[in-house]
Amino acid sequence: MGVTPDQRTRRRVLRTVGTTVAIGSLGVGSSAAQNGQDGQEGQNGDGVDSPYTATYRNTIDSVVLVTVSGPRGSGGLGSGFVIDDQHVVTNNHVIQSAAEGGVELQFSTEEWRTASIVGTDPYSDLAVLRVEEMPDVATGLSIVDREPAIGREVLVLGNPLGLDASISQGIVSGVDRVLPSPAGFSIPAAIQTDASVNPGNSGGPLVSLEGEVFGVVFAGADQTIGFAISPRLANRVIPALIEDGTYEHPFMGVAVQPVGPDIAEAVGLEEATGVLVTEVVPNAPADGVLQPAVPTQPGSGDVIVAIDGEEIQNQSQLLSYLALETSPGDTVELTVIRNGERGSVEVTLEARPELQLPQTPIPGRPGERPPIGP
């Protein structure tokens, strides 16, 4: 059943968003009602136009509040953003518990729309929703196809703690981070920011001052460390979700660990670089091709130092290359150190299998466990 504005406005949607929020006597008004209606649209009280205000004004109409109704009265809320005249992007973990017809979106104009789920991908934590009759004010935001520079100023838009149409400011603090996904594998190439990220921000955009999307917010370790899904990964996954409803990730079937000085010395490397293969999944593409290390023998096992000629210094580089440069069916050439000798092997990647794993909480929540390798 749809929800009308007089039944539930953003001012009333202060409820559980992954944590309990005590508002107390705080007066909470709608940003949509306040933005641009004080006689100084797009300006601060001193009359000076702020670049943050300008970006907010130009993008906030494309950011939505996502509310979810699940079985037996369960539910939650998050954020999302419009990418074209039909589709909204959010996180898979925001809508994964939704009952049929249980996803409602509210726009900056206080208009509500019921959304259908077009496609989901738990491995990248992305989901695409379809909206019939998108409000006129909501135009598509553009996701860049490049990695943002560290130090670049960015803004997080969304609904933290259920507080609608909020903005926080920071910089890109790091790139190429590897974080666990709710599905148990790793999300590679994640963008780190010091802009404030709280429960309810999930699914919202990380934008530049020019209004370009630099990532899809999905996790926060605390209020000064947040993470967004890489725009390059999003641009691979989202079109497939729209077209097919799913996305096939490349799968090699190994677990790896960084090479430290002790392992480097044992295998004859002059510098500690590359990744040591610690486990090979039975019947995976790497089975019979790569040799895993024996736990009591640090010099055993293959050390991967390059893939398709690209040097691999750590696990994040291997994961990022596989996620952003390859597809199932591709054959990759791995340069390995085996028994002190440098050589090469070929692995033909397959689609990642559907594994029945306990869900992995996003960083900052209790019960986190190590992610699975590529």
Side-chain angles (χ1 to χ4, degrees), residues 255-260 263 274-279 293 303 313-315:
V256 298
Q257 72 177 51
V259 171
I263 296 175
V275 292
L276 174 68
V277 177
T278 58
E279 181 182 351
V303 173
Q313 296 179 329
N314 50 49
Q315 181 184 9

Side-chain angles (χ1 to χ4, degrees), residues 226-278:
F227 298 94
I229 298 158
S230 160
R232 294 182 62 197
L233 181 59
N235 278 325
R236 288 172 68 95
V237 175
I238 291 170
L241 296 184
I242 294 174
E243 183 71 22
D244 303 319
T246 61
Y247 178 79
E248 290 190 338
H249 292 262
F251 177 66
M252 187 161 59
V254 297
V256 298
Q257 72 177 51
V259 171
D262 291 345
I263 296 175
E265 182 179 0
V267 301
L269 281 171
E270 293 183 0
E271 297 181 359
T273 188
V275 292
L276 174 68
V277 177
T278 58

Side-chain angles (χ1 to χ4, degrees), residues 27-302:
V28 181
S30 168
S31 296
Q34 297 174 22
N35 186 40
Q37 296 186 19
D38 59 358
Q40 294 178 319
E41 183 175 354
Q43 294 183 334
N44 295 322
D46 59 6
V48 177
D49 196 31
S50 161
Y52 310 128
T53 304
T55 303
Y56 180 88
R57 183 176 64 241
N58 293 332
T59 57
I60 198 61
D61 288 339
S62 300
V63 180
V64 300
L65 175 72
V66 181
T67 68
V68 175
S69 299
R72 296 180 294 278
S74 64
L77 64 82
S79 303
F81 61 96
V82 176
I83 57 170
D84 59 31
D85 59 0
Q86 286 188 306
H87 298 107
V88 169
V89 169
T90 187
N91 287 148
N92 178 72
H93 79 259
V94 170
I95 54 86
Q96 65 182 354
S97 63
E100 184 175 354
V103 180
E104 302 278 352
L105 309 180
Q106 191 179 39
F107 293 80
S108 63
T109 54
E110 304 284 340
E111 296 177 79
W112 286 91
R113 296 288 190 273
T114 299
S116 59
I117 299 174
V118 175
T120 61
D121 179 42
Y123 298 122
S124 65
D125 199 16
L126 288 169
V128 176
L129 311 174
R130 178 176 286 115
V131 178
E132 304 293 340
E133 299 182 6
M134 189 80 71
D136 292 338
V137 298
T139 58
L141 297 181
S142 175
I143 304 176
V144 302
D145 196 25
R146 64 185 186 276
E147 189 176 82
I150 295 176
R152 180 75 178 265
E153 196 164 21
V154 288
L155 305 172
V156 170
L157 302 174
N159 309 283
L161 309 182
L163 300 169
D164 71 292
S166 295
I167 180 174
S168 60
Q169 174 268 341
I171 62 171
V172 174
S173 306
V175 297
D176 209 23
R177 304 304 194 203
V178 177
L179 285 88
S181 77
F185 279 81
S186 300
I187 297 178
I191 310 300
Q192 178 186 335
T193 179
D194 66 349
S196 181
V197 171
N198 287 280
N201 276 124
S202 291
L206 179 73
V207 302
S208 67
L209 294 187
E210 292 74 35
E212 296 177 309
V213 177
F214 276 174
V216 183
V217 174
F218 77 102
D222 60 34
Q223 292 186 2
T224 57
I225 299 181
F227 298 94
I229 298 158
S230 160
R232 294 182 62 197
L233 181 59
N235 278 325
R236 288 172 68 95
V237 175
I238 291 170
L241 296 184
I242 294 174
E243 183 71 22
D244 303 319
T246 61
Y247 178 79
E248 290 190 338
H249 292 262
F251 177 66
M252 187 161 59
V254 297
V256 298
Q257 72 177 51
V259 171
D262 291 345
I263 296 175
E265 182 179 0
V267 301
L269 281 171
E270 293 183 0
E271 297 181 359
T273 188
V275 292
L276 174 68
V277 177
T278 58
E279 181 182 351
V280 176
V281 177
N283 301 316
D287 190 15
V289 181
L290 293 174
Q291 296 182 1
V294 177
T296 57
Q297 301 176 22
S300 65
D302 290 339

